[in-house]
Amino acid sequence: ACKFAYQAFNREYMRLSGYLAQRNDDKIEQEFDLLKNMRISNKQKASVGSRGFYYYLEKGKIKKAEGMLSYSKGLVDEKSYKNMEIQFSILMKKEAKYIDDCKDILNSMWDGKSALDGNRKYPVGTMQYLIGLQYSYLKDTEHMMEYFNPALKNLKQTPYEEDMHRIMEKFHIS
């Protein structure tokens, strides 16, 4: 029975990947519901919870993302959960209470001086964006731009770049 359940999980998880690639939102929702209700290991539940959280975060569905965040608690490792919590707070609740945490994460990723290769530009830029975004909530444009300026270079041609320009326009910064 265990072997069969594992095969069923793999099949459904692959189906989810296909729906995600097709951007078939209705089927994705159904697949997440199905996967969450399957009898699966905690490792598999963690995978479903994390994937669901980031999907709903990207879609801006606050209640669904929050549901996946609580589903993931105790299943994903502490560091991953903390990152999910921080992103939920900043991106969904529009809170500015993780500036210091984000600065610590940024400092652990990069010394602030050395050249960034292609693989490190995106994670560093994302952290710069999250810090700048929090300053924008506080209407502290000076600190916001301190992080947005390098983030704009590191996140060229991403949705984050568009978002930063939109925020800057709101504050009449070009």
Side-chain angles (χ1 to χ4, degrees):
C2 187
K3 190 175 141 199
F4 175 76
Y6 184 73
Q7 289 171 338
F9 171 79
N10 285 348
R11 186 180 59 244
E12 296 306 329
Y13 201 75
M14 281 173 43
R15 189 170 287 154
L16 172 66
S17 296
Y19 293 146
L20 286 164
Q22 296 167 358
R23 302 199 180 289
N24 186 336
D25 293 334
D26 293 337
K27 294 280 188 190
I28 292 168
E29 298 260 345
Q30 290 171 10
E31 208 57 38
F32 275 127
D33 288 341
L34 178 72
L35 285 162
K36 277 173 58 182
N37 290 311
M38 287 178 88
R39 288 178 55 163
I40 53 178
S41 73
N42 282 349
K43 189 177 176 187
Q44 291 167 329
K45 286 179 183 175
S47 185
V48 169
S50 162
R51 197 153 188 198
F53 172 76
Y54 287 109
Y55 168 75
Y56 291 123
L57 191 69
E58 187 187 317
K59 288 284 177 194
K61 293 187 171 184
I62 191 165
K63 286 281 178 235
K64 296 260 185 187
E66 193 171 30
M68 284 295 193
L69 183 64
S70 59
Y71 176 82
S72 300
K73 190 174 177 70
L75 296 170
V76 297
D77 63 274
E78 268 182 58
K79 189 179 174 190
S80 298
Y81 186 77
K82 179 74 172 168
N83 286 338
M84 290 163 75
E85 223 175 20
I86 289 172
Q87 290 179 63
F88 184 77
S89 165
I90 299 168
L91 299 170
M92 292 292 195
K93 293 165 90 181
K94 308 226 181 296
E95 295 174 331
K97 62 183 190 183
Y98 288 108
I99 291 173
D100 290 336
D101 294 87
C102 289
K103 285 180 180 179
D104 291 344
I105 294 167
L106 179 62
N107 292 333
S108 74
M109 295 164 83
W110 183 50
D111 62 14
K113 293 183 281 291
S114 59
L116 289 171
D117 60 21
N119 293 340
R120 289 180 51 225
K121 268 187 171 184
Y122 188 80
V124 166
T126 302
M127 205 45 64
Q128 292 165 330
Y129 164 74
L130 290 173
I131 296 166
L133 194 56
Q134 291 177 85
Y135 280 121
S136 81
Y137 300 152
L138 300 172
K139 299 185 180 12
D140 179 346
T141 54
E142 190 180 326
H143 283 104
M144 175 188 87
M145 290 312 296
E146 182 186 329
Y147 288 92
F148 273 9
N149 281 325
L152 284 165
K153 290 184 189 94
N154 292 325
L155 296 171
K156 271 206 178 320
Q157 295 166 332
T158 67
Y160 295 127
E161 182 186 24
E162 294 167 33
D163 196 43
M164 286 184 277
H165 283 300
R166 190 182 47 71
I167 292 164
M168 288 161 59
E169 272 175 39
K170 197 175 83 180
F171 288 113
H172 310 293
I173 300 169
S174 53

